[in-house]
Amino acid sequence: MEFTINLIEENDYEKFCKWWKFWRWKPIEKELLPNNGLGGLKITDENGVDVCVGFLYETNSGIAWIEFIISNPEIKDTEIRSEGRKKLIMYLTLHAENKGFKVVFSSLENENLINEFKANGYFESKNKTKELTIKF
């Protein structure tokens, strides 16, 4: 399977919301995504179909954060979705490295996604931490 990496376009957001809803996620508000929903990359197959998307949060330190990776539920072949996500993680990681970040962080729950990050050289923290959030 051939994949291409593409920038996110303005009209992609509604499509990604449908994907999040299908996978039982609450859609991420556009203003909570980097660059108002444009701060990430998407993987497209050889037929021009978007396979998956992910976002890169850039900080004013040496740390970047990859988050909200989601795949197209209309692609029924789980291997294609998995390979697409692995490529996406690789490209987001390279993008962060090329921008000068020293560490890339992600917070994950899904075992498949965790394994796809590990396939790209990520390791699991030994810390027993909990995510804490406040929303205004």
Side-chain angles (χ1 to χ4, degrees):
M1 171 68 50
E2 292 290 320
F3 296 110
T4 58
I5 190 76
N6 293 294
L7 297 175
I8 298 169
E9 300 172 38
E10 277 291 335
N11 60 351
D12 285 331
Y13 179 73
E14 291 305 318
K15 171 178 43 185
F16 301 151
C17 286
K18 290 176 186 173
W19 295 0
W20 282 316
K21 287 177 185 175
F22 180 88
W23 295 113
R24 295 181 206 88
W25 288 21
K26 182 178 180 207
I28 310 306
E29 297 169 44
K30 205 172 189 181
E31 58 270 6
L32 298 180
L33 294 169
N35 197 19
N36 205 35
L38 299 175
L41 299 171
K42 63 182 180 177
I43 294 288
T44 305
D45 72 13
E46 60 227 11
N47 299 313
V49 176
D50 292 333
V51 175
C52 56
V53 65
F55 297 88
L56 181 68
Y57 288 83
E58 299 179 25
T59 70
N60 62 355
S61 70
I63 298 175
W65 181 32
I66 294 174
E67 193 52 81
F68 305 123
I69 292 176
I70 196 79
S71 57
N72 183 346
E74 293 179 8
I75 297 174
K76 301 303 180 195
D77 188 326
T78 57
E79 188 174 320
I80 291 172
R81 288 197 317 260
S82 179
E83 288 305 310
R85 288 189 305 262
K86 286 180 195 172
K87 290 281 187 196
L88 176 65
I89 294 163
M90 180 188 73
Y91 282 115
L92 286 168
T93 303
L94 287 172
H95 188 60
E97 182 180 26
N98 289 337
K99 287 188 156 237
F101 291 100
K102 304 296 181 203
V103 174
V104 180
F105 170 84
S106 190
S107 177
L108 305 165
E109 181 179 315
N110 180 284
E111 277 303 314
N112 290 331
L113 199 50
I114 289 168
N115 290 331
E116 290 158 2
F117 268 82
K118 287 179 177 179
N120 275 285
Y122 285 75
F123 61 91
E124 216 170 318
S125 171
K126 301 294 183 216
N127 298 330
K128 303 282 187 219
T129 62
K130 296 283 183 185
E131 296 172 7
L132 302 174
T133 307
I134 188 169
K135 185 173 179 183
F136 302 103

